[in-house]
Amino acid sequence: MNMKSQKFRKSAELFGAICGGLIISLPAMPQALAQESIPKVNPCPRIFYEEPHNNQVVVPPGCPPNAITQRLAAQGLLPVPATRSQDQTKLGVGGEVPQPGVSSPGPARGDQSQQPIPEGGSTNQPPQTPIATIALNNGKVDIRLVNDTAANITFQVIGDTAPRSLQGKSDVILQSLNAPVTVTFQRDDGGQLLVTPQASSDPGKLEVRFNEATDAAQGRSAMRIEKNGSVFLN
């Protein structure tokens, strides 16, 4: 009788240990499955290289430069961008592989690193003359954009805001921007912009008026304010 009791007790203990191990491991399984199901976000999706983003949105640091990023870097308004691998630009925002036939840009040629551009121009351009000079307010500036045209204007504060729309005959105030700061802008109808910055008597305030440019050579698409308050247009 004692032998049967001992065998029964050992069997019960073994069964309890197996069940306990299963109960402990069950909560970890959904977490592992949940982690595997979360897609990796690609920082350099191909949408940055498709219109209209190719000419409107600056890519994040480390991504192969698109058209507007290359243009602003050449004008000395952005640091020369470093590049990621070509495989990253083949992925979408969530890391999905694009469909066949959809082209993806390759990395820029050469060894490019994020080195600052000298004030007023790139390394292979002569220094520019500032269009205006303002007194910053503790290194910050408020910019009032005034659209005097009838067309909508898309603008972006690089590294601060996403592209935004400024309707015709309207204005907007961008507050407490840290210098140096770069603002890009373009007419949605493809026309050229005549840009006129005007410093205010109040420190740290700048008004920028947009008008239609009759000459393509007058057209401007970017403005940069340096730490010393110098304002440049490109």
Side-chain angles (χ1 to χ4, degrees):
M1 189 68 178
N2 290 334
M3 291 292 294
K4 291 183 179 180
S5 298
Q6 291 177 359
K7 291 182 179 180
F8 179 78
R9 185 169 59 254
K10 289 182 179 180
S11 299
E13 291 175 352
L14 179 61
F15 179 75
I18 295 174
C19 292
L22 290 175
I23 293 174
I24 293 173
S25 62
L26 283 176
M29 294 176 61
Q31 294 180 3
L33 293 174
Q35 292 176 354
E36 292 179 357
S37 64
I38 298 176
K40 294 182 178 179
V41 177
N42 178 36
C44 308
R46 66 180 183 276
I47 192 173
F48 286 152
Y49 309 93
E50 300 172 353
E51 298 301 338
H53 298 79
N54 187 44
N55 282 284
Q56 292 184 2
V57 180
V58 174
V59 300
C63 293
N66 58 6
I68 189 172
T69 306
Q70 290 177 337
R71 186 165 63 249
L72 294 179
Q75 294 171 352
L77 299 176
L78 289 176
V80 177
T83 58
R84 295 179 185 268
S85 66
Q86 185 177 8
D87 292 337
Q88 286 177 298
T89 62
K90 294 179 180 180
L91 302 178
V93 176
E96 73 276 10
V97 178
Q99 298 297 322
V102 178
S103 60
S104 299
R109 295 180 179 178
D111 182 16
Q112 293 180 325
S113 59
Q114 286 187 306
Q115 299 295 330
I117 301 292
E119 288 186 3
S122 63
T123 55
N124 57 359
Q125 290 182 338
Q128 294 177 312
T129 302
I131 194 69
T133 302
I134 65 171
L136 299 177
N137 185 11
N138 294 323
K140 297 180 180 295
V141 59
D142 294 344
I143 304 176
R144 180 174 179 241
L145 303 179
V146 182
N147 184 4
D148 289 330
T149 75
N152 291 348
I153 293 176
T154 296
F155 68 92
Q156 180 183 11
V157 181
I158 302 304
D160 196 345
T161 70
R164 298 178 181 177
S165 181
L166 179 62
Q167 295 182 349
K169 306 300 181 181
S170 65
D171 64 272
V172 65
I173 298 179
L174 308 174
Q175 296 182 323
S176 298
L177 301 177
N178 292 310
V181 59
T182 299
V183 183
T184 62
F185 31 77
Q186 67 175 19
R187 283 171 52 176
D188 291 357
D189 61 3
Q192 298 294 325
L193 283 174
L194 182 64
V195 184
T196 307
Q198 183 175 357
S200 170
S201 57
D202 297 331
K205 295 186 182 298
L206 179 70
E207 181 178 276
V208 181
R209 305 192 77 93
F210 299 114
N211 287 279
E212 297 179 1
T214 56
D215 186 354
Q218 297 176 326
R220 297 293 182 264
S221 60
M223 177 184 70
R224 182 170 177 84
I225 303 174
E226 298 292 351
K227 288 184 177 180
N228 60 3
S230 298
V231 181
F232 297 93
L233 290 178
N234 282 276

